[in-house]
Amino acid sequence: MKKLYKHIKKYIVLLRAYSVVDVLLLVLLARTIAIGHSLYTWRDGVTVAMAFALWGVLTLSLEAKHKHSYREEIRYGVPGTLLIVALCLAFFFNFYSVGGIMLVSFFSYCYIKKETNAFWGMTSSIWRGFYQVALFLTLWSLYVPRWYISWRVVGVSLVVFCLLFSRNLVADIRDVAFDRLTLVVFWGCKCSYLLILGSFLIGGVT
């Protein structure tokens, strides 16, 4: 029992439990944009399960890639298993969401390479924003019979991108003393603040 508790505690920490609210808000946003304020059904449970599975793909892949000495080792098999779970949910409940899952996987891969070289480090906030947009679209697709393009979906996607791009830059500013390859390190905090301000303005206008 103690061993099980230890494993559960480890994954709760690694999955960044404080991000639970973020994931649930994204599910609620996707649901509202797709079907409005209708009654909750079993599909909402599937959407929440997929959201946390895909969130785990990013966070646990990041931990497996970086292998911090002060944290327990995570094998790539764990996020790989979560990806398979998400794909199974997509195949059974809405095949169109498979495309979104592929996008989520691609942007997760791009983001976890942020400590590889200057290109990946400087563009990491962009990939993080694209990841969140892909996750939003994947969750949204679970509620619609087929993919379609509307200005409303495009506008919300742009706002989601701007918010996550800005938040990631804020985190990089906070960690500037420890990071080596982020945009903040190369361009400085002042330029990063301007990018954050511009991102908020774009999101606000949208």
Side-chain angles (χ1 to χ4, degrees):
M1 184 63 71
K2 288 184 178 180
K3 189 174 182 180
L4 177 62
Y5 171 75
K6 184 179 179 181
H7 278 291
I8 293 174
K9 182 180 178 181
K10 176 181 74 173
Y11 285 111
I12 288 176
V13 171
L14 294 177
L15 283 170
R16 296 165 173 80
Y18 57 81
S19 295
V20 169
V21 175
D22 287 354
V23 176
L24 292 177
L25 285 175
L26 195 64
V27 171
L28 183 60
L29 176 63
R31 183 183 193 278
T32 302
I33 295 301
I35 59 175
H37 302 283
S38 59
L39 294 175
Y40 290 94
T41 66
W42 57 268
R43 189 174 292 277
D44 297 303
V46 173
T47 308
V48 170
M50 182 176 288
F52 280 106
L54 293 176
W55 172 242
V57 170
L58 175 67
T59 55
L60 296 181
S61 294
L62 197 61
E63 294 296 332
K65 173 74 173 178
H66 293 167
K67 296 180 180 179
H68 297 292
S69 58
Y70 53 88
R71 291 179 181 168
E72 293 189 49
E73 183 180 356
I74 294 292
R75 299 181 184 277
Y76 280 109
V78 179
T81 300
L82 291 175
L83 179 59
I84 292 172
V85 169
L87 286 170
C88 288
L89 290 173
F91 277 115
F92 279 106
F93 296 103
N94 192 326
F95 184 77
Y96 290 104
S97 60
V98 173
I101 293 174
M102 293 297 100
L103 286 176
V104 168
S105 302
F106 174 73
F107 292 131
S108 296
Y109 171 78
C110 293
Y111 181 69
I112 68 173
K113 290 176 69 67
K114 64 180 183 176
E115 293 186 3
T116 304
N117 56 44
F119 171 77
W120 294 112
M122 291 180 67
T123 57
S124 60
S125 294
I126 296 174
W127 301 122
R128 184 64 182 83
F130 281 144
Y131 165 87
Q132 202 75 4
V133 171
L135 181 58
F136 162 72
L137 291 175
T138 303
L139 301 177
W140 166 80
S141 70
L142 289 173
Y143 290 105
V144 296
R146 59 182 177 82
W147 279 65
Y148 61 89
I149 300 297
S150 71
W151 286 113
R152 188 184 189 193
V153 174
V154 172
V156 172
S157 298
L158 182 58
V159 171
V160 169
F161 175 85
C162 290
L163 285 174
L164 268 294
F165 173 80
S166 301
R167 194 174 80 169
N168 207 74
L169 268 184
V170 169
D172 287 344
I173 292 173
R174 178 198 62 196
D175 298 334
V176 67
F178 308 100
D179 292 331
R180 298 181 298 109
L181 300 171
T182 61
L183 186 147
V184 180
V185 172
F186 287 99
W187 287 11
C189 291
K190 289 183 179 179
C191 183
S192 300
Y193 283 129
L194 289 175
L195 285 173
I196 291 170
L197 178 60
S199 184
F200 275 128
L201 288 174
I202 293 172
V205 170
T206 305

